[in-house]
Amino acid sequence: MTVEQQYIDLFSQTEAMICKHSAEVLNVPRTDAFADFERLGFPNRKVEKYKYTDVSKYFEPDFGLNLNRLAIPVNPYEVFKCDVPNMSTALYFVVNDAFYNQALPKGNLPEGVIFGSLKEVAEQQPELVKKYYGKLADTSKDGVTAFNTTFAQDGVIFYVPKNVVVEKPIQLVNILRGDVNFMVNRRVLVILEEGAQARLLICDHAMDSVKFLATQVIEVFAGENSVFDMYELEETHTSTVRISNLYVKQDANSNVLLNGMTLHNGTTRNTTEVVLAGEGAEVNLCGMAIADKNQHIDNNTSIDHAVPNCTSNELFKYVLDDQSVGAFAGLILVRPDAQHTNSQQTNRNLCATRDARMYTQPQLEIYADDVKCSHGATVGQLDENALFYMRTRGIAEKEARLLLMFAFVNEVIDTIRLDALKDRLHLLVEKRFRGELNKCQGCAICK
């Protein structure tokens, strides 16, 4: 039996149950998504975009799924305590793949702003969700997106009306909880209307030491003149597999910052696809990965300059130790009418051992002649001259190596436009390099 067949059989047997515990708006695309999954299957190394990560093999084990939506016995507001100074956020939780609504933050969001269960909002305001859900995440082109759309029953929606500014950052904590090997399928839908502004921090944590497989599909609609920052911080454990597909569409003069940081994981595959659909749009796409042991981190990105006068800046940095593996493939596409494009892509990688492996594939496709585009990638080891200089100044070799690695990734941290988070990341990265951090500081789950 193929890897896909067990899930084809599962959906055929439980479709009614899946739909019963979801919303009609989320159920409508399931049939087409299931057909696309049957046709595409899970991607493996034969698929160009997945040549560095054989996703299909991670679906082979027999994972549990909570299709009947049984309550998970955990109150995240009691077990998760983030005590980092000045990190004042509106805190929400997703337990496995269900929005936790039994308790919510006391602070009120601005009028008209929605942050809550995708299932519940789809039932209460179906026209709003129907207008956006699944419109960027094309199930006909990606097997993981098709699989997620087939099985996802809930998730999160973040809606900000026209010209509304959400001053307080929103923090969404994804908690993985299970007594057996477990699979979750999450959805996130972000909608910023014209002139809206918001910041979202998404943190991934694992509460138990069993094997987890998490698929995630995020759709972001940034309206004209909107400003949106989204930070993703992954701190799970070595038995966790995360496969996340992020789709972003930006209208005219929108400004979006995306920053994904992997501090501790097992296997991670992130896909990011950004379409600059309106003139004057700007995206800053950043990423940082720190890996050791046998950890695997693969980032695949594409930025589509579909119209003239848009700007994109892309920066990814990896630090790999032991036998860890990193991969980065980034495509910048400049379409024929996209004159006056300004685009820069940079990938820098540090291999601390000879056994660490890094695969990098920067790509430019330019079909316009009046553009300013550049890309570059490097893979190397610590600067021995700098190391020698620091040792002559009385700094121990181990400490000197830590300082150089910290300085190497600092450029990515400095792109963060939230000072409290920036300070927190400086601390967490330092502790990670010192081997003191396997999980998040201040999280009672992880102690």
Side-chain angles (χ1 to χ4, degrees):
M1 183 172 68
T2 65
V3 178
E4 291 80 7
Q5 191 60 49
Q6 62 177 319
Y7 297 102
I8 293 172
D9 293 343
L10 177 64
F11 182 76
S12 300
Q13 296 163 8
T14 62
E15 180 179 3
M17 179 192 301
I18 292 171
C19 293
K20 176 184 176 181
H21 294 284
S22 190
E24 181 61 24
V25 175
L26 279 61
N27 292 335
V28 169
R30 287 191 204 280
T31 301
D32 289 342
F34 179 58
D36 288 332
F37 173 67
E38 285 186 295
R39 175 175 56 86
L40 294 169
F42 294 117
N44 54 36
R45 292 182 184 272
K46 294 180 180 179
V47 179
E48 176 65 22
K49 286 179 60 176
Y50 287 87
K51 67 180 182 180
Y52 301 120
T53 305
D54 183 3
V55 166
S56 62
K57 73 177 184 180
Y58 296 110
F59 287 85
E60 291 177 358
D62 183 15
F63 289 100
L65 291 93
N66 188 11
L67 302 181
N68 208 26
R69 314 314 285 172
L70 301 177
I72 305 298
V74 61
N75 183 346
Y77 285 94
E78 293 180 354
V79 297
F80 183 91
K81 305 296 180 184
C82 186
D83 58 1
V84 179
N86 301 319
M87 193 65 184
S88 176
T89 61
L91 183 60
Y92 298 86
F93 291 91
V94 166
V95 179
N96 290 335
D97 48 17
F99 184 78
Y100 187 83
N101 59 6
Q102 297 179 36
L104 295 173
K106 295 180 180 179
N108 294 325
L109 295 173
E111 184 177 356
V113 174
I114 299 172
F115 195 97
S117 163
L118 180 60
K119 170 183 176 293
E120 291 182 1
V121 175
E123 291 172 339
Q124 297 162 3
Q125 302 186 45
E127 291 305 315
L128 172 64
V129 177
K130 181 180 179 181
K131 182 178 178 181
Y132 295 99
Y133 182 76
K135 297 300 186 288
L136 297 181
D138 190 345
T139 61
S140 68
K141 295 181 179 180
D142 185 272
V144 172
T145 296
F147 177 85
N148 178 280
T149 305
T150 299
F151 284 96
Q153 295 169 281
D154 192 12
V156 173
I157 180 170
F158 186 16
Y159 169 74
V160 186
K162 181 178 178 180
N163 295 327
V164 172
V165 177
V166 183
E167 295 287 353
K168 179 175 283 192
I170 305 293
Q171 184 176 7
L172 173 64
V173 179
N174 293 320
I175 295 177
L176 295 173
R177 172 75 176 93
D179 298 324
V180 297
N181 295 344
F182 206 75
M183 177 192 294
V184 303
N185 299 288
R186 298 189 295 252
R187 296 292 290 226
V188 180
L189 179 60
V190 179
I191 307 157
L192 275 75
E193 291 191 342
E194 180 182 346
Q197 297 183 30
R199 293 169 293 179
L200 174 63
L201 166 63
I202 302 176
C203 302
D204 282 10
H205 297 280
M207 188 171 175
D208 300 291
S209 58
V210 301
K211 292 181 179 179
F212 289 107
L213 172 58
T215 75
Q216 176 175 266
V217 173
I218 304 176
E219 296 175 282
V220 176
F221 295 83
E224 186 174 346
N225 294 308
S226 64
V227 179
F228 180 59
D229 294 2
M230 188 174 80
Y231 308 99
E232 290 190 87
L233 179 60
E234 183 182 10
E235 293 181 280
T236 53
H237 58 59
T238 55
S239 296
T240 299
V241 177
R242 164 191 153 114
I243 305 169
S244 178
N245 291 352
L246 166 61
Y247 302 94
V248 181
K249 178 178 177 289
Q250 294 185 230
D251 291 338
N253 300 308
S254 59
N255 186 297
V256 171
L257 169 62
L258 307 169
N259 194 326
M261 297 156 283
T262 300
L263 293 188
H264 201 267
N265 74 317
T267 298
T268 298
R269 159 67 192 214
N270 297 320
T271 300
T272 304
E273 297 185 3
V274 180
V275 178
L276 302 175
E279 290 196 38
E282 178 178 349
V283 63
N284 292 279
L285 174 57
C286 308
M288 175 185 71
I290 301 172
D292 52 18
K293 305 180 183 69
N294 293 300
Q295 294 167 342
H296 180 105
I297 303 171
D298 179 0
N299 281 287
N300 186 287
T301 72
S302 71
I303 300 176
D304 182 351
H305 285 261
V307 297
N309 301 306
C310 291
T311 302
S312 65
N313 299 293
E314 186 171 6
L315 174 65
F316 276 78
K317 288 195 171 186
Y318 290 63
V319 177
L320 305 175
D321 204 349
D322 300 330
Q323 292 82 42
S324 59
V325 176
F328 170 81
L331 169 65
I332 303 294
L333 171 62
V334 182
R335 296 190 181 274
D337 294 331
Q339 304 294 348
H340 307 121
T341 287
N342 189 342
S343 178
Q344 182 175 352
Q345 181 192 85
T346 304
N347 175 224
R348 301 280 184 259
N349 310 287
L350 191 62
C351 292
T353 67
R354 293 185 178 275
D355 293 328
R357 293 288 181 268
M358 181 68 203
Y359 303 93
T360 181
Q361 186 182 12
Q363 304 167 76
L364 286 177
E365 289 187 22
I366 302 174
Y367 301 100
D369 51 17
D370 188 5
V371 300
K372 184 179 180 181
C373 299
S374 65
H375 73 299
T378 61
V379 180
Q381 296 180 318
L382 288 174
D383 187 333
E384 292 298 329
N385 291 330
L387 191 62
F388 176 76
Y389 175 82
M390 296 174 72
R391 294 186 65 190
T392 63
R393 294 301 184 270
I395 301 175
E397 180 178 357
K398 181 179 180 180
E399 189 69 16
R401 289 182 178 275
L402 290 173
L403 290 171
L404 288 175
M405 289 190 291
F406 184 78
F408 179 76
V409 300
N410 198 49
E411 185 180 1
V412 177
I413 299 175
D414 283 344
T415 65
I416 295 173
R417 299 190 289 209
L418 184 58
D419 288 341
L421 178 59
K422 186 186 299 186
D423 294 341
R424 177 185 185 182
L425 259 297
H426 281 130
L427 173 65
L428 294 180
V429 168
E430 180 181 355
K431 291 173 73 70
R432 177 68 170 93
F433 281 137
R434 293 183 184 280
E436 301 171 6
L437 177 71
N438 282 339
K439 302 167 182 74
C440 173
Q441 182 194 18
C443 176
I445 290 173
C446 305
K447 292 181 178 178

